[in-house]
Amino acid sequence: VADYVLWGYGTGAIMAVPAHDERDFDFAQQFNLPVIAVVDPGDSDVVDRQAVLAGKQCSAEDGVSINSNGSNGLTTNDFKQRITADLAKAGLGREAVNYKLRDWLFSRQRFWGEPFPILHELDEKGQPTGHIRAVDAKDLPVDLPHLDDYKPHGRPEPPLEKAPDEWKYIRLPEVSTDHSPLTAQHSADAIGETVRLIRYKRETNTMPQWAGSCWYFLRFIDPRNQTRFVDAAQEKAWMPIDLYVGGAEHAVLHLLYSRFWHKVLFDRGHVSTVEPFQKLVNQGMILGENGEKMSKARGNVINPDDVVKEFGADSLRLFEMFMGPLEAVKPWSTAGVVGVRGFLDRAWRLIVDDRAEELKLNESVQNVQPTDEANRVLHKTIKYVTNDIQRLEFNTAIARMMELVNLLYQVEESAWAGTEGQKVLGEVLETLVPMLSPFIPHAAAELWEMLGHQELLADHAWPAFIEALARRNEVEIVYQVNGKIRAKELLSAELPNEELERLALAHERIRESVSGKTVRKVIIVPGKLVNIVVS
């Protein structure tokens, strides 16, 4: 008997395998206890095998069992299974999985929160016997009692000790050895002499609302079910959840308990998935404009209501997604809100005539067939925005749409002009507005209506990316002679190398450059250049 080597380790028997646990080895060395190896580490670069077998060195490596009676020669994993089975067969133990949760995080001493449906048995003197009992399922849920006031009672007991006795105390029939009530009747007169009524006291600690928030996503699937917390078929159809987004602090609290709660439900056969969530993303914190964490003490708190009042909810939403990567820590910038509001206004003016006295469609919006170049830019934007949203890279998706809106304002470029010089916006905007809707839902819904749609924008399909339209039909081919640029020409992107070579040699500037010289070879980089080597 001796103090162990770790302060606060506790009392009781220790594991006592000094040959294979460093703390036990130190303990044995200190008190000259025998060290008997029970695992042969074999040839190892980590420990000296002979020293381990002689009890002179500790080894925590896996190996083969020795000095273990009839279990010699087993690998470490096989030995664990053998000894577990032997102990279970002898009635000395059983295999179990132990989950460790800090009770103080779940059991709270306060007035609110879900009451624990637990009853503590009392003896004839009103003292706890140490036996507890769960409230019968038919008596659930246990509601909080009515209290006339919530003033502290000045005692170390939980605040709910102020509850009236008719809530705190209850009498129930004695429980049989199989933990079921001997009778369903709760009246001593009706039970007669056969069953004894036991006095119980309700648990007055409360749950910290984790009991509800741990499984709310399951209830959302089937919120009106009166017979089961979620229909099995619906749960199987909807679970597991694709994405869980929360801050780092949120993840180590709510996420931890949600997973624990869900695994209990899975073990009891109530849900079909062992994990509730498939992917976790921790969004970054938004700092104050001074680059420090927002707090009242620093005086740098930004009130979202004030931002919405001045710039609108869509502007606030858009700026928060445009600030940078979702998972990065970012400083707030009111000037940045002004910038994204400018982009929102530009997108609005593409469709709405801001000079009119009432809401009116901009005359430049014409249902003209887009040019090939317009389709190419549009469908490249669809591809980038779709991929960026799927990767939660909202800031780059917004940047892509900003580029598209800027191009739409360049009237002089023929790519965005119809046969009569009108801006080709009709079909292009029919695609742009749905892409904008996840970022500026309120403005996008109004713009959708302005374009003449009766259906809700939320019911409209996401724009489809067409690869053929994103490809450039013509490319600029550079003609070189001995590596020096002599000419450029727009040609079809589908031309074979033989035709590219023929056109290059036929070009007037190239003929002049190679006149009187011998063409040694022609180097072609498809879609980019033709280099003619001469001597």
Side-chain angles (χ1 to χ4, degrees):
V1 178
D3 292 334
Y4 200 59
V5 294
L6 291 181
W7 173 256
Y9 191 83
T11 59
I14 63 172
M15 191 170 177
V17 282
H20 310 291
D21 181 273
E22 291 181 359
R23 290 177 299 181
D24 288 354
F25 183 80
D26 292 340
F27 187 92
Q29 294 289 97
Q30 177 68 33
F31 295 98
N32 297 316
L33 300 178
V35 177
I36 302 174
V38 294
V39 177
D40 183 348
D43 295 332
S44 171
D45 296 331
V46 180
V47 294
D48 182 343
R49 177 173 179 261
Q50 295 304 322
V52 172
L53 297 180
K56 303 298 183 181
Q57 184 179 0
C58 174
S59 169
E61 303 293 310
D62 287 354
V64 175
S65 58
I66 57 174
N67 297 323
S68 300
N69 295 329
S71 299
N72 290 336
L74 296 176
T75 65
T76 299
N77 286 333
D78 290 342
F79 181 78
K80 288 178 182 178
Q81 296 177 17
R82 168 73 68 83
I83 195 65
T84 301
D86 290 347
L87 289 170
K89 185 177 180 180
L92 299 174
R94 62 182 175 84
E95 182 179 5
V97 177
N98 295 320
Y99 297 96
K100 183 178 180 181
L101 289 178
R102 295 183 182 275
D103 181 69
W104 64 270
L105 281 175
F106 197 79
S107 182
R108 305 289 176 89
Q109 292 191 340
R110 59 189 187 190
F111 285 111
W112 62 93
E114 303 92 344
F116 286 99
I118 295 296
L119 304 172
H120 297 268
E121 182 180 288
L122 303 177
D123 60 20
E124 294 179 355
K125 297 181 180 180
Q127 297 300 312
T129 66
H131 295 157
I132 62 173
R133 174 177 175 177
V135 172
D136 291 340
K138 63 181 179 57
D139 295 325
L140 296 176
V142 176
D143 293 326
L144 287 166
H146 170 75
L147 297 177
D148 292 329
D149 68 76
Y150 295 90
K151 296 178 182 177
H153 51 53
R155 304 190 303 274
E157 293 86 4
L160 277 185
E161 289 289 332
K162 291 186 68 171
D165 287 353
E166 54 266 28
W167 183 85
K168 280 195 297 185
Y169 298 101
I170 184 174
R171 289 184 180 272
L172 293 175
E174 185 178 8
V175 176
S176 67
T177 55
D178 65 353
H179 301 286
S180 61
L182 294 174
T183 176
Q185 297 169 312
H186 292 181
S187 168
D189 295 333
I191 296 171
E193 298 294 326
T194 60
V195 177
R196 186 167 62 98
L197 289 180
I198 304 296
R199 190 166 183 248
Y200 294 92
K201 181 183 178 183
R202 294 190 188 277
E203 172 63 57
T204 51
N205 277 4
T206 60
M207 306 182 215
Q209 282 106 30
W210 293 119
S213 65
C214 279
W215 64 283
Y216 71 91
F217 47 88
L218 293 169
R219 188 60 179 172
F220 279 178
I221 296 173
D222 192 16
R224 294 179 179 83
N225 195 322
Q226 297 298 312
T227 59
R228 181 178 164 85
F229 73 102
V230 61
D231 178 76
Q234 291 199 47
E235 182 274 331
K236 192 171 184 179
W238 285 99
M239 293 296 292
I241 293 168
D242 297 311
L243 176 65
Y244 182 107
V245 179
E249 295 176 356
H250 194 75
V252 299
L253 294 175
H254 178 261
L255 179 63
L256 171 69
Y257 282 97
S258 291
R259 292 184 65 231
F260 180 83
W261 202 274
H262 193 87
K263 285 176 180 290
V264 172
L265 292 174
F266 176 79
D267 289 345
R268 292 179 173 267
H270 298 309
V271 294
S272 62
T273 62
V274 68
E275 290 281 358
F277 316 112
Q278 293 193 90
K279 181 180 179 181
L280 167 69
V281 173
N282 293 140
Q283 83 273 16
M285 182 183 296
I286 297 179
L287 306 176
E289 291 199 81
N290 56 6
E292 297 180 343
K293 185 177 180 179
M294 289 190 190
S295 70
K296 292 181 180 179
R298 296 186 177 93
N300 62 348
V301 174
I302 301 296
N303 187 337
D305 292 339
D306 295 337
V307 179
V308 170
K309 184 176 181 180
E310 183 173 358
F311 299 102
D314 278 343
S315 296
L316 173 61
R317 178 188 180 96
L318 188 66
F319 176 64
E320 287 191 317
M321 287 185 280
F322 187 59
M323 291 174 73
L326 176 64
E327 299 172 67
V329 176
K330 304 168 284 284
W332 177 264
S333 169
T334 302
V337 185
V338 176
V340 297
R341 175 55 194 257
F343 162 66
L344 195 158
D345 289 342
R346 284 169 64 80
W348 178 269
R349 291 194 298 269
L350 283 172
I351 298 174
V352 179
D353 186 352
D354 62 322
R355 295 180 296 275
E357 294 293 330
E358 56 186 21
L359 278 178
K360 178 184 176 184
L361 193 67
N362 195 320
E363 293 182 357
S364 65
V365 179
Q366 302 290 329
N367 290 319
V368 185
Q369 184 67 28
T371 63
D372 291 342
E373 181 65 11
N375 269 327
R376 188 185 71 81
V377 175
L378 179 63
H379 281 270
K380 285 184 68 175
T381 304
I382 295 172
K383 179 181 179 180
Y384 290 136
V385 171
T386 302
N387 291 340
D388 288 347
I389 290 176
Q390 290 174 343
R391 294 191 298 261
L392 304 182
E393 297 173 358
F394 305 126
N395 56 318
T396 55
I398 295 169
R400 300 287 185 183
M401 291 185 287
M402 286 180 171
E403 292 175 2
L404 179 59
V405 168
N406 288 337
L407 284 172
L408 291 172
Y409 271 94
Q410 296 175 12
V411 184
E412 68 279 8
E413 290 197 6
S414 60
W416 305 100
T419 54
E420 298 178 2
Q422 298 165 323
K423 293 171 71 175
V424 179
L425 296 179
E427 186 173 327
V428 175
L429 292 176
E430 296 277 340
T431 303
L432 173 62
V433 173
M435 286 194 291
L436 287 169
S437 63
F439 304 93
I440 51 171
H442 306 92
E446 290 195 55
L447 292 174
W448 191 245
E449 186 175 339
M450 288 294 296
L451 289 172
H453 295 280
Q454 299 299 317
E455 64 168 337
L456 291 175
L457 181 52
D459 295 332
H460 185 70
W462 183 256
F465 166 66
I466 302 175
E467 186 175 1
L469 295 178
R471 288 199 298 264
R472 187 191 295 270
N473 290 331
E474 287 187 332
V475 293
E476 186 177 61
I477 302 297
V478 176
Y479 296 150
Q480 297 178 341
V481 175
N482 288 345
K484 295 183 179 180
I485 298 175
R486 298 303 184 188
K488 297 179 181 179
E489 188 173 16
L490 281 175
L491 297 173
S492 171
E494 308 298 329
L495 285 179
N497 288 352
E498 295 81 3
E499 182 64 12
L500 282 174
E501 181 178 341
R502 187 191 68 79
L503 291 172
L505 293 172
H507 195 280
E508 181 180 359
R509 294 287 302 276
I510 300 301
R511 289 203 312 270
E512 293 175 358
S513 298
V514 301
S515 178
K517 298 176 182 177
T518 301
V519 176
R520 296 296 183 184
K521 60 180 176 180
V522 178
I523 301 172
I524 298 176
V525 180
K528 292 187 176 180
L529 64 86
V530 178
N531 182 28
I532 302 165
V533 181
V534 299
S535 61

